Amino acid sequence: MDTKNKKQHRYGMVIDLDKCTGCGACMVACAVENNIPPATAKATDRTGITWVRVYKFDNGLPFPNNRSAYIPMPCQQCGEHTPCVSVCPQKAVEVDAASGIVAQIPVRCLGCRYCMTACPYHARYFNWWDPVWPAGMEKTLNPDVSPRMRGVVEKCNFCHERLQAARAKAAAEGRDEIDPSDYQPACVEACPTGAITFGDLADPNSEVAQLVQNGHAFRMLETLGTEPKVYYRSDQAWVRQIAQQEVQKPKAKEKVHG
Amino acid sequence: MFPGVYGFTWEPGNLIFLGIFYSVVAIILGTMGIVLVRSLKDFQSQKADQIRWKLDFEDLPEGNRTCRHELTGEFRHRTCERGFDCRECPDHAKLVASKIRTIHPGYETGDEEGCILGFDMPLERQYHRGHTWVMTEPDGTTTVGLDDFGSRLIGEPDEVRLPAAGTSLHLNGTAWHFKKNGSDLRILSPVDGEVIQTGGKKAGWYLKLKPLGKKMDTRHLLRGAEIRPWLAREMERLEFSLAADGVGMSLADGGALVEDLSKEYPSLDWDAVWGQMFLEP
Amino acid sequence: MDKQLIIRGLRRSPLSKFLLWILPWVALLGLGLYAGYLCLARGLNQTNMDNRFAFGLWIYLDLTIIALGAGAFFTGFLLYILKKDQLKAVINSAVVLGLICYSGAIVVLMVDVGQPLRAWFTFWHPNVHSMLTEVTFCITCYLTVLLVEYAPLVLRNRKLRQIPSLLVFEFHLHKVMYVLAGVGTFLSFFHQGSLGGLYGVLRGRPFAFREGIGIWPSTFFLFILSAIAAGPSFILLTTWLVSKLSKKELVKREVLSLLGRISGILLMVYVLFKTIDTLIWINHTAPASGFNPFDFYSWEPFGTWLLFAEIVVCGLLPAIILLDKKRREQTGWLVSAAFLVCVGVMLNRFVFTIQTLALPTLPFDRFLSYVPSWQETATFLAVVAYGVLIYSLSFRYLPLFPQEKELRQS
């Protein structure tokens, strides 16, 4: 497809932490959509694969002043100095110029995991095991997404196959641009509280662009200069503070994943 | 990696990186190519023996590379740089020309008849530093044998491997091999020549040669007055070599060496001693 | 038969004793090979690495042994390019050490990556902006150079030398050694640097991230400096150790002193630059990326004592000892200082590989620990065993120390 004359998009999302209940529906929807195999019995929270991972954090105060919140962490789709792109020795990570999506190409991945050490958001996952689907469950596989093999790295790509489908549909209908409502990642659809808003940040009229402007939006580790395209927002000051406060001292918050 | 391969771009970073890489590969391959061509050339022109001697000579300790003119006292200290090949040595030629070299009999008072330091070293023979002797026969052929010093060092060899008649020998190349106590000993060829006949220990000589060119060149061989100081130095070298193995004996005072030295001290590292004395470190 | 393979005039222990010595190492190597097989056949789930600790013991091992192996290229550089002829006494040993370190590192890397059969992808479509690409290219080329440098040593074995074609080949190979030494220096220089760059470019890991000159972060230059400072010390240490174990004098004492002095001078320069770099990092780089540098050291046991141990105890202290002529002449001081230098470079590589990953970056994340699995440890130990075996065999059958014969006779 000729992308030269197309508009440049910058797909991104805004996650409203005030709406996130930590239910984990996004994680499940993501796994189903992207053909992530059921974890083996030996997998831990550090070796399993969840392209979006929900962390819990709190304000560190004792009861009754304790407050906690959840924060889903997909690939932050960095726009500048994308840490994983420059480090990959064999061009298995690329930023798609047309969509701004950071793409992982598992078939070209060597499995050196340098990109994983480079990612400050820990949003990259390695296939420590062979992907195995219990008999019968392979029927649930999504035909639009190829499963990955053992020994390669993978990560969230904003359900790229859905963008492809939307483009195909637009082309079939003779349109140059996709209908934004045709392209929504699985986690966005699945979120029961509608905490995730997805859209084109380059379009000032889009909902995401509006939300980013509203003043209570922020990004993780902004000081690193990676310009993520995943924004968070919260009306609670302590949430904005804690998420923006950099590395914590020991005795600090514990983490539980949802 | 190449234009046309996915991901190749003509950006400067790519070109510099790949340019350096290809240069390094080219240098490594080019160097190896040169080495292979040179080796092949030298191997085909049968320079292996010459090269072996060159390397062995470099491996000899400095004390083993003494110039013959130091032995005779013409220099206080001088180390040979040309593998004991005096034929092309300008200093040797000059020294020979400038002085009438007194070829007085090497005997001194105290030597028995025909003996130098207790070794049977006839003066009509010329000697190579690797303990072979050379004698030109009236018929123009040259006889080569192991000198008395050498044969006492080895004693009775287990096996002698002589070259076949017709073989061309080159100075400081391999003349023949001895096998003794599992050690392989290479005896250096004292001259250039073609083998016409082979003898053995019983015959008293090992090879008969005819010159490769018109005449047998023996300018590099030790003779006359040089033999005695050379032998004295060889005794020192031997003592030194034995001392390294903890045998603190004095060979010089005791007169002649026994007939088969290795039989006398079987526990020594004879392989190393032979290597030292026959110039194959 | 065995006696016929040993260099003439050198004393080596009886074959039975030698076999007894290598037996445990062979066993260890066997165990490691089995562990490596498990990792290749069943996947990296055999390790205790995970998505957060994506690099573990193996990468630490690679960085460390390659730093210690720097002695090979640097000694070659000093001998063949700068004509420090005294170093002829250790160059062969240095080449063997270099070969062991580099080949060991590459073998471990092949187990470490998830898809070893795709290793050639890096050559086919290289991302020239990645430090790992530079490392891959340089290490492969340099291993080739090391093999070519090791070849003459093998060919000088007593039996192989008897084959005329090999003798001639060795002779000509040796003549071009300065070209290979030059190429080796160039390659090593770059990849020692790019191994440092590997971590220095990690913008997402403010603990490791460093600013620098052009495309190279400061760690690029610091890794080169620390490697060439530690390389001679490592050669000194191994020579001393082999000498002790074999109960033989292998090199003249002044060669060890010279190695110590070279190490001392370079280490002093390194300590100076490392201190400057650390100060810049504390006062500028880390705060600019939004982190308080001392927070990184607030996670026990990785406190500021590490910084002190690395720069002062294993940096400044041995540098002072090695630069002091009197102390250098005393073997006890010399060897202890060389040991500290090696520990220092190991500590530095540890800090960059392990501490970097243990520290959290996300504010709500925690400090992580990681303990290697037995498979990882066994593979690690197999590299050590492999090194001991190659070195033992080389020491027995090849002319590693040209001065040994001479020293035996005096």
Side-chain angles (χ1 to χ4, degrees):
Chain A
M1 209 185 338
D2 179 25
T3 51
K4 268 182 197 161
N5 305 321
K6 294 259 167 65
K7 225 169 66 187
Q8 295 283 307
H9 300 282
R10 278 179 62 244
Y11 290 107
M13 49 173 64
V14 178
I15 303 175
D16 192 335
L17 299 186
D18 295 344
K19 289 187 188 164
C20 178
T21 61
C23 69
C26 52
M27 294 167 72
V28 175
C30 171
V32 171
E33 170 76 15
N34 291 295
N35 289 340
I36 288 161
T40 68
K42 286 178 204 148
T44 67
D45 65 336
R46 280 163 66 173
T47 49
I49 298 176
T50 46
W51 287 8
V52 52
R53 175 166 178 171
V54 182
Y55 291 83
K56 181 190 180 188
F57 62 98
D58 64 19
N59 58 0
L61 297 175
F63 179 83
N65 297 319
N66 185 277
R67 297 278 178 282
S68 62
Y70 296 91
I71 177 166
M73 271 276 155
C75 168
Q76 306 284 299
Q77 310 288 351
C78 304
E80 270 294 313
H81 303 294
T82 316
C84 51
V85 172
S86 59
V87 298
C88 178
Q90 42 202 7
K91 298 188 172 159
V93 191
E94 286 180 340
V95 182
D96 177 28
S99 63
I101 295 174
V102 180
Q104 174 76 20
I105 308 162
V107 284
R108 204 183 293 151
C109 174
L110 164 73
C112 71
R113 305 186 299 285
Y114 188 22
C115 54
M116 299 173 71
T117 63
C119 177
Y121 305 102
H122 313 307
R124 304 186 136 264
Y125 299 87
F126 186 71
N127 283 273
W128 300 96
W129 282 272
D130 278 309
V132 182
W133 279 267
M137 230 179 116
E138 71 278 352
K139 289 184 189 127
T140 65
L141 280 168
N142 180 352
D144 295 331
V145 177
S146 39
R148 281 75 50 191
M149 66 199 303
R150 186 183 86 196
V152 298
V153 176
E154 57 186 64
K155 69 165 194 77
C156 162
N157 54 19
F158 277 169
C159 293
H160 192 252
E161 68 286 354
R162 293 190 175 204
L163 173 60
Q164 302 283 45
R167 280 175 176 164
K169 188 177 168 200
E173 291 169 5
R175 282 179 284 122
D176 263 356
E177 291 298 331
I178 62 162
D179 179 351
S181 63
D182 282 343
Y183 177 34
Q184 294 291 311
C187 54
V188 180
E189 280 182 357
C191 183
T193 59
I196 313 176
T197 314
F198 181 84
D200 185 2
L201 291 165
D203 175 5
N205 300 319
S206 70
E207 201 184 345
V208 274
Q210 301 283 327
L211 279 170
V212 166
Q213 297 302 322
N214 97 344
H216 283 169
F218 60 90
R219 290 178 291 183
M220 293 308 299
L221 302 174
E222 256 181 285
T223 43
L224 295 180
T226 53
E227 300 291 326
K229 289 193 282 288
V230 173
Y231 287 76
Y232 296 92
R233 70 167 306 284
S234 171
D235 291 329
Q236 305 175 72
W238 79 266
V239 172
R240 294 200 298 272
Q241 247 168 35
I242 199 99
Q244 282 179 291
Q245 175 196 325
E246 274 68 34
V247 83
Q248 292 182 27
K249 297 190 180 60
K251 75 185 175 321
K253 334 298 164 216
E254 76 199 89
K255 178 223 71 186
V256 176
H257 85 281
Chain B
M1 176 157 243
F2 303 107
V5 173
Y6 179 88
F8 182 90
T9 48
W10 291 97
E11 58 178 289
N14 225 341
L15 297 182
I16 294 171
F17 184 91
L18 290 173
I20 293 174
F21 169 66
Y22 289 131
S23 311
V24 165
V25 170
I27 292 174
I28 295 176
L29 289 180
T31 313
M32 291 313 290
I34 290 171
V35 167
L36 276 178
V37 169
R38 283 182 182 169
S39 311
L40 214 63
K41 224 169 78 188
D42 277 0
F43 182 62
Q44 278 170 348
S45 56
Q46 314 224 305
K47 288 219 179 101
D49 254 5
Q50 261 164 282
I51 289 171
R52 185 192 303 272
W53 169 244
K54 191 172 152 56
L55 292 172
D56 280 353
F57 188 72
E58 278 166 13
D59 275 355
L60 286 175
E62 203 187 316
N64 292 5
R65 287 185 274 143
T66 317
C67 170
R68 64 200 285 187
H69 296 290
E70 183 191 321
L71 294 175
T72 52
E74 287 154 283
F75 286 101
R76 180 181 279 281
H77 183 72
R78 185 179 156 93
T79 305
C80 179
E81 303 291 345
R82 357 183 111 245
F84 293 146
D85 185 355
C86 318
R87 296 176 302 184
E88 304 297 321
C89 178
D91 293 336
H92 175 68
K94 251 185 260 166
L95 281 162
V96 170
S98 68
K99 269 191 258 179
I100 304 151
R101 301 220 314 156
T102 43
I103 310 285
H104 69 79
Y107 310 121
E108 285 180 15
T109 41
D111 281 336
E112 283 173 51
E113 178 70 25
C115 273
I116 300 174
L117 296 170
F119 293 101
D120 181 20
M121 304 293 255
L123 285 178
E124 61 270 26
R125 293 173 180 172
Q126 295 178 333
Y127 296 89
H128 182 256
R129 304 286 282 254
H131 292 290
T132 44
W133 56 259
V134 170
M135 196 161 85
T136 310
E137 306 291 343
D139 61 355
T141 60
T142 303
T143 316
V144 175
L146 192 68
D147 72 14
D148 194 28
F149 187 96
S151 54
R152 284 178 204 230
L153 267 183
I154 294 179
E156 197 60 45
D158 298 340
E159 190 192 323
V160 185
R161 279 206 327 271
L162 294 168
T167 315
S168 289
L169 301 184
H170 295 276
L171 172 60
N172 296 326
T174 309
W176 70 88
H177 288 268
F178 283 126
K179 254 221 158 110
K180 172 118 183 190
N181 300 346
S183 292
D184 191 80
L185 281 171
R186 182 167 64 107
I187 301 299
L188 298 177
S189 173
V191 286
D192 293 333
E194 191 190 318
V195 180
I196 45 177
Q197 209 184 335
T198 57
K201 191 177 163 73
K202 287 214 180 72
W205 55 273
Y206 284 85
L207 302 172
K208 271 200 200 305
L209 307 175
K210 71 174 184 194
L212 284 184
K214 276 186 186 151
K215 214 173 148 268
M216 188 64 81
D217 194 343
T218 59
R219 282 176 293 170
H220 55 283
L221 296 174
L222 303 174
R223 63 201 72 192
E226 288 168 324
I227 300 170
R228 189 187 169 86
W230 169 57
L231 274 180
R233 187 65 71 101
E234 289 298 284
M235 292 293 277
E236 260 175 49
R237 229 155 56 79
L238 178 61
E239 272 178 52
F240 191 65
S241 191
L242 297 175
D245 262 317
V247 178
M249 59 179 169
S250 183
L251 297 163
D253 319 334
L257 282 180
V258 291
E259 278 298 320
D260 189 341
L261 200 56
S262 62
K263 222 187 238 164
E264 211 73 4
Y265 299 97
S267 63
L268 283 184
D269 185 1
W270 278 100
D271 184 53
V273 176
W274 288 325
Q276 283 278 310
M277 300 316 292
F278 292 104
L279 307 178
E280 193 195 2
Chain C
M1 181 56 203
D2 173 66
K3 179 95 177 53
Q4 290 300 305
L5 291 169
I6 295 170
I7 304 290
R8 185 171 248 167
L10 293 187
R11 281 266 167 103
R12 292 293 177 258
S13 51
L15 186 62
S16 55
K17 204 172 156 197
F18 179 71
L19 290 177
L20 211 63
W21 155 254
I22 64 169
L23 194 70
W25 299 107
V26 171
L28 198 56
L29 180 67
L31 179 71
L33 287 178
Y34 175 65
Y37 161 78
L38 283 182
C39 294
L40 289 174
R42 297 190 191 163
L44 292 174
N45 53 61
Q46 302 289 308
T47 70
N48 278 352
M49 286 187 281
D50 54 53
N51 294 326
R52 293 286 315 278
F53 242 108
F55 283 175
L57 179 69
W58 290 338
I59 294 287
Y60 167 65
L61 172 82
D62 284 344
L63 261 74
T64 305
I65 61 176
I66 285 186
L68 295 175
F73 94 84
F74 196 60
T75 312
F77 171 71
L78 290 173
L79 174 65
Y80 294 109
I81 313 287
L82 296 188
K83 306 284 178 205
K84 284 251 174 225
D85 279 339
Q86 264 187 304
L87 293 177
K88 220 179 231 169
V90 289
I91 183 70
N92 294 351
S93 173
V95 165
V96 178
L97 287 174
L99 182 74
I100 290 167
C101 291
Y102 278 83
S103 52
I106 288 185
V107 170
V108 167
L109 267 180
M110 284 298 103
V111 184
D112 195 3
V113 298
Q115 290 289 335
L117 294 179
R118 294 181 181 177
W120 61 277
F121 284 18
T122 305
F123 292 90
W124 199 242
H125 21 71
N127 172 15
V128 297
H129 305 292
S130 169
M131 286 288 165
L132 198 55
T133 309
E134 211 169 303
V135 171
T136 312
F137 273 70
C138 285
I139 287 193
T140 342
C141 290
Y142 186 50
L143 184 65
T144 318
V145 171
L146 274 171
L147 283 171
V148 177
E149 286 185 328
Y150 185 59
L153 263 179
V154 176
L155 296 181
R156 231 174 290 158
N157 167 272
R158 195 168 164 187
K159 268 277 166 266
L160 293 177
R161 223 170 158 273
Q162 301 301 328
I163 303 165
S165 50
L166 294 183
L167 181 98
V168 175
F169 183 63
E170 190 267 319
F171 173 72
H172 285 294
L173 207 50
H174 197 81
K175 278 215 266 187
V176 297
M177 214 38 96
Y178 67 96
V179 180
L180 296 167
V183 175
T185 304
F186 174 80
L187 290 170
S188 296
F189 210 74
F190 267 89
H191 80 250
Q192 292 288 356
S194 31
L195 280 174
L198 216 58
Y199 282 87
V201 296
L202 295 183
R203 182 171 288 275
R205 299 284 184 172
F207 178 70
F209 180 67
R210 295 289 188 282
E211 284 150 299
I213 305 163
I215 55 169
W216 294 301
S218 66
T219 46
F220 182 93
F221 306 98
L222 288 172
F223 266 52
I224 297 176
L225 258 177
S226 55
I228 59 177
S233 270
F234 187 60
I235 295 177
L236 194 165
L237 209 59
T238 42
T239 309
W240 173 81
L241 193 66
V242 175
S243 185
K244 278 274 157 222
L245 287 176
S246 65
K247 301 191 189 67
K248 284 177 192 68
E249 244 186 300
L250 301 173
V251 297
K252 292 182 183 149
R253 182 59 175 67
E254 66 252 32
V255 177
L256 293 186
S257 292
L258 176 68
L259 284 170
R261 212 184 98 215
I262 294 170
S263 204
I265 295 170
L266 292 164
L267 191 65
M268 201 47 119
V269 179
Y270 168 71
V271 168
L272 177 73
F273 281 107
K274 172 78 185 168
T275 311
I276 295 173
D277 176 68
T278 308
L279 289 175
I280 294 178
W281 175 75
I282 288 174
N283 293 302
H284 182 255
T285 318
S289 46
F291 288 77
N292 175 359
F294 290 102
D295 286 352
F296 293 123
Y297 293 100
S298 53
W299 307 85
E300 286 310 323
F302 296 156
T304 38
W305 66 268
L306 261 175
L307 205 58
F308 180 78
E310 190 194 324
I311 300 181
V312 181
V313 180
C314 297
L316 194 61
L317 182 68
I320 290 172
I321 296 174
L322 290 173
L323 287 178
D324 179 3
K325 194 164 185 316
K326 242 194 226 147
R327 296 253 188 283
R328 206 165 57 217
E329 295 309 320
Q330 287 165 276
T331 306
W333 282 103
L334 182 71
V335 171
S336 316
F339 178 72
L340 277 183
V341 180
C342 294
V343 170
V345 84
M346 288 158 91
L347 201 58
N348 175 262
R349 301 319 191 239
F350 176 84
V351 164
F352 270 101
T353 51
I354 304 297
Q355 192 177 358
T356 300
L357 293 187
L359 294 171
T361 46
L362 290 169
F364 39 80
D365 205 359
R366 59 188 167 159
F367 178 81
L368 289 182
S369 62
Y370 141 88
V371 179
S373 69
W374 77 261
Q375 291 93 330
E376 281 175 276
T377 317
T379 314
F380 173 95
L381 291 176
V383 173
V384 178
Y386 156 80
V388 172
L389 285 173
I390 295 284
Y391 198 93
S392 299
L393 286 167
S394 300
F395 180 68
R396 189 174 174 81
Y397 298 117
L398 308 177
L400 280 204
F401 296 99
Q403 287 175 353
E404 185 186 351
K405 219 189 266 188
E406 205 181 320
L407 287 166
R408 193 169 89 89
Q409 285 167 349
S410 57

